[in-house]
Amino acid sequence: MTEPLVARLTNVTVEHAQGAILRGLEVDVPETGVTVILGPAGTGKSTLLRVLAGQTDDGIQVSGDVDRRRQPACLIRQARSRDGDATVGLDALAETLRSTNAPLILLNKPNRRVHPDEIDALTKLLNNKNTHHAVIVVTHHLAFAHQITNK
């Protein structure tokens, strides 16, 4: 018996005017748990989140099969203040996580501007959500990735 999925991407290619961003992507997203996407800047991690959320820009073309089995998805980008400079911190992220019932939660670098003293609190929030939701986290930090995938 196969594990229930919240989304499946089969042979997905994402392109813009300058060429392919992602090519031949195969992804199965289980209904629960944390999935971490790691990689250097500019490799399409944030673009993958937008494809999973169904929020691609006009200049982006997606081909292949994108099967979003359960919607809506909740895409959370790094929280910023209204002036766009300072982050609003962990509290705003925590409130968003607590209030969403979306089956798929997509977090783009949630630890990026979180104070080191708050990383444990962020990890706890993510671990509490992953038992009833699929959570995909994009990060550049291997230690944080281990922390949120190992309870």
Side-chain angles (χ1 to χ4, degrees):
M1 181 174 189
T2 61
E3 184 174 5
L5 302 175
V6 70
R8 170 175 272 169
L9 279 63
T10 307
N11 197 30
V12 169
T13 296
V14 181
E15 299 178 283
H16 58 65
Q18 289 78 29
I21 300 169
L22 301 166
R23 181 170 288 149
L25 194 61
E26 305 279 334
V27 177
D28 286 343
V29 182
E31 280 189 337
T32 61
V34 173
T35 301
V36 174
I37 301 171
L38 289 163
T43 57
K45 299 177 303 297
S46 298
T47 299
L48 174 57
L49 292 185
R50 289 193 305 276
V51 167
L52 285 166
Q55 298 179 10
T56 54
D57 301 320
D58 291 333
I60 300 290
Q61 294 181 350
V62 180
S63 62
D65 183 23
V66 179
D67 180 0
R68 296 177 199 93
R69 296 172 180 205
R70 294 182 58 207
Q71 286 296 312
C74 177
L75 175 59
I76 303 171
R77 295 183 177 106
Q78 183 184 31
R80 294 184 178 271
S81 65
R82 290 184 186 167
D83 63 10
D85 291 331
T87 60
V88 295
L90 183 61
D91 291 339
L93 177 58
E95 182 55 36
T96 302
L97 286 172
R98 278 191 212 77
S99 65
T100 187
N101 287 319
L104 177 57
I105 299 169
L106 306 164
L107 296 160
N108 196 3
K109 304 173 202 128
N111 62 313
R112 186 174 185 183
R113 295 217 170 110
V114 172
H115 191 277
D117 293 343
E118 296 179 321
I119 291 295
D120 287 340
L122 176 58
T123 300
K124 185 176 179 181
L125 281 169
L126 295 175
N127 287 334
N128 286 339
K129 267 307 197 190
N130 77 19
T131 58
H132 300 292
H133 301 266
V135 180
I136 299 180
V137 177
V138 164
T139 184
H140 294 283
H141 300 282
L142 188 56
F144 178 68
H146 281 293
Q147 197 171 359
I148 61 175
T149 57
N150 297 315
K151 293 181 189 176

